[in-house]
Amino acid sequence: MPAVAEILIPLALDTAYSYAVPAGLTLAEGDIVQVPLGPRETIGVVWGLDERASGGNLRPVTGKVETPPLSASLRKLVDWLARYTLAPKGSALAMALRLPDEAARNEAPRVGVRAAGKPPTRQTVARGKVMAVAADNAVRGKSALAKEAGVSLSVVDGLIDDGALETVALMPEPVALPPDPDHPRVPLSDAQAEAAHALIANAPSPTDAATGETILLEGVTGSGKTEVYFEAVAECVRQGRQALVLMPEIALTAQFLDRFAGRFGVRPATWHSGIGGKRRERLRAGVAAGEVSVVVGARSALFLPFRNLGLIVVDEEHESAYKQEDGVHYHARDMAVVRGKIEGCPVVLASATPSIESRVNAQSGRYRHVVLPGRFGGRPMPDIAAIDMRLDKPERGRFLSPPMVNAVKSTLAAGDQALLFLNRRGYAPLTLCRACGHRYQCRNCSTWLVEHRFRRALVCHQCGYAERKPEACTECGAFDHLTPCGPGVERIAEEVTELFPEQRIVVLSSDFPGGAERLRQELETVAAGDCDIVVGTQLVAKGHNFPHLTLVGVLDADIGLTSGDPRAAERTFQLLQQVTGRAGRGERPGRALVQTYQPEHPVIAALLSGDADRFYEEEIWAREAAGLPPFGRLAALIVSGEEREKAEAHGQALARVAEPPPGVSVLGPAEAPLALIRGRWRFRLLVKTERGIDVQSYLRDWLARGPKPRGNLKVAIDVDPQSFL
C-alpha cells in the first residue's frame, strides 16, 4: 500500500504537498481528501501516490471526502491549463474542484401532502375546498395544494396538524429531465440537413478511440446553426453520452432554452453563477454520475466532472466573453478544444462571424469546415447602407441623422420594429463643467465616470465606483453648468422618446435594474412584437431572433476602429455583422443603416458589400504580414502596484533581464491605456514571438531570472491576451 500521497490543494500553489497515508485508509489518484495545512484543515486532491516512499515524519491525510473523485481526464486538463497559462496548478484546480457546503450537503428533503383518510375535526369553507382537491389522494406540495384550492397556506398547515392531511417524503426534484433525441421537430432545410449530417457522420461511437475532432460550423445570421448542432447533440444523447453547450451570455439565454425544449421536449440543465448552492451541487453530482445528459453553461461549465462527455459545442465562438481576464487567464474556446482532445470527443465551434484563429485553422485543415451559406427558408440577407455623417449631420444636440429618423418613421408606418444600436451603456460617457472645465473621473481608476440618468449617478464601468450626480460643480461650485458629453443608450432613448412619443420603446442594456430576469422579460417582449422601437447595446447582437424587426440602425459604427488593439478591425466587423443580422429574420425583408464618419474604412466597406470572405482574406493577410496571432504568438506581463513609481521600476527591472532569444521580442514596459484600475497602477510588457517558439518556457526562464515582486506588487501573466487595456 502506498505510504505517501501527493496532494494538490486548490490554492495559489504550484506544487503538490506530500502527506503520509494512514494505515487502513485506501486512496486512489483523484480522490478528494482532507489534509492539515498549517494550523487549519483544507481539502485537496490526490495527484499521485508513491508506492516506495515511507511516510516518515510527514503529516497524515486526515480522511477521504465522500464525493466523486476527480477523473483522470479532468486532472489532465488542470495540468495542461496550468502549464499553458503559467498559473499555479492549485489555482487551475480551484476551477474544477467545488465541494458542497454543509447546507447543500444536508439539503432538506422535499415533502408533499395527501389526504389521510379521516375528515377534519372542524369544518370550514376553506377546509372543505382543500379536502375536495385532496380527495383524489394525489401527493402535492403544500403550496401547490393551497393554490389549487384557492386558500392560504395556513389552512393546509391546520389540516396537517388536525390529522386530515398527512405528509409524504418526495424524491428530490431532478435537476434536469432526460432530453428526447427523437422528439417531434420542425423539419430541417436541405442545407441544414446536409450540415447536420456532416457534423454527425464522423461522430465516434462510445466504443471508438476518438481523437477529438474540431469542426467550425459557420453560417450567416439566421441560417439555423443552432438547429444543426442540435442534431449533433441528439446523436450524442442517443449514444448514451453527455453533451456540453457553452454560451458567452448564459444569463440571457431564455430564448435558446425554449428552442432546446422545442427540439428535445425538455429544457437542459444550466450552469452559471446565478445557480443557487443546493441546485448547483445536485447538478454537479448529476453530471459526475452521468445522470445529466446535456448542460448549457458559461465558460466555467468546461470544468464540470462529466462522466462520459461525447460532445462540446461552443456557440458564438468568436465572443471575447470566453476569455477570463482575472485569476487564471484562459480562453474557454481554446480550452474546449483541449478538453475535446483529452476526452476524445468532437468539438463544434459555431459562429456567423468566426474568429480569425478559427478561420485560419479551418483553411489549413486543422479544423473541419461546415458552412451554411444562406438563411433558413431562403430569406434574403438585409440590405446594408451607410449614412455619411459628414454629409447628413444630425440636428444640434441630436445623434440620429435625418435619414435614420426617416427610416424609423417608414418602418413604424409599415407596422414593423426598429432597433437602434449603440455600444455604449449609460446616458453619457463623460460629464464636465462648462464653467471651469472639470471632468468627473473615478477615484480608483483612470477612467471618466459615466452618467446613468435612470439611476441619477455617475458610475465607473471598470471598478463599479458610483457617486450621486451633484447639483453644482464640486470643483468651482457653479450651478447648471454640468454638461453630458456624447451619447449612451439612455440618451438615445430620451431622443427617441421625444421624436416618437406615441411609440412603445424598450431599452436593452446589461446594467439596467432588474438584472437577468428583467432582460429576459424585455427580450420576450421584443420577440413577441409588443414594442415598436428597441434601443440597445451589444447584448442585442448575440444570437437573438426578433421576427418582427426589419430595420437596424447603427448609430456609431466607428467605435473601436481607432483603438490600438490588433483585433479592433475583427471585433468591429463581427459586432456590426451580428447586429445588422438581426434585421429581416421573419417573413418580411430587412435593411440596416450604418451611421459613420469613415464609410471608406475597410471594415465598413466590407460590411456594406456583404463580402465577408474578402474581409477575412485581407485581415488574415495583414495578420500574417505583421506576425500577429495566429501566425505569431503574444504574451503579456502586467505589473501592478499601489504606487506608480514602484510598479514602473519593477517593470523596468524585468525588461533589463528579458534576454529574448532569436524569434522573440519584448516590448515595454509601457503604461497601460487604463493605467489605474481599482487603485492599482499598471504597466505592460508584451512578448511577441514566432509561431514555433515555446513562449511558456521562455516566460518561466525569464521570471526565474527576474526580480521577485515584493510588498503589494503583482505580476500577472496573460498568454494569448485578448484585451490590451
Side-chain angles (χ1 to χ4, degrees), residues 382-393:
D383 293 326
I384 305 177
I387 298 174
D388 191 336
M389 297 292 280
R390 298 167 299 187
L391 304 176
D392 291 302
K393 298 180 180 180

Side-chain angles (χ1 to χ4, degrees), residues 656-668:
R656 284 194 293 270
V657 297
E659 300 177 8
V664 177
S665 58
V666 176
L667 310 174

Side-chain angles (χ1 to χ4, degrees), residues 185 188 192 195-196 199 217-234 245-247 253 255-264 296 311 313-316 348-352 372 376 542-545 582 585:
R185 57 176 172 79
L188 301 179
Q192 286 178 311
L199 290 191
L217 175 61
E218 180 179 359
V220 298
T221 53
S223 59
K225 296 180 293 298
T226 303
E227 284 70 22
V228 169
Y229 70 66
F230 275 171
E231 296 311 302
V233 172
V245 180
L246 293 178
M247 307 199 78
T253 55
Q255 193 175 71
F256 173 86
L257 298 179
D258 290 340
R259 291 170 73 180
F260 186 97
R263 172 60 185 86
F264 294 97
V296 176
L311 174 70
V313 177
V314 184
D315 200 9
E316 306 291 354
V348 176
L349 309 178
S351 177
L372 288 167
F376 179 77
K542 298 179 179 180
H544 304 295
N545 185 38
R582 299 308 106 197
R585 295 166 69 101

Side-chain angles (χ1 to χ4, degrees), residues 426-509:
Y427 185 86
L430 170 66
T431 298
L432 62 79
C433 174
R434 286 181 286 118
C436 69
H438 176 65
R439 301 182 179 196
Y440 282 82
Q441 185 172 344
C442 178
R443 297 179 181 179
N444 308 313
C445 308
S446 52
T447 56
W448 307 123
L449 291 176
V450 177
E451 180 182 349
H452 285 250
R453 189 154 291 189
F454 293 168
R455 295 165 55 182
R456 297 197 297 178
L458 302 176
V459 181
C460 174
H461 286 175
Q462 292 299 320
C463 70
Y465 168 80
E467 62 183 52
R468 296 286 290 180
K469 183 183 176 183
E471 297 292 333
C473 176
T474 53
E475 191 71 14
C476 69
F479 281 87
D480 299 324
H481 279 74
L482 294 183
T483 303
C485 299
V489 286
E490 294 179 17
R491 195 169 191 179
I492 298 301
E494 183 179 86
E495 180 175 338
V496 170
T497 302
E498 294 173 1
L499 290 169
F500 305 99
E502 303 300 320
Q503 306 303 323
R504 299 165 297 176
I505 300 168
V506 167
V507 182
L508 294 176
S509 179

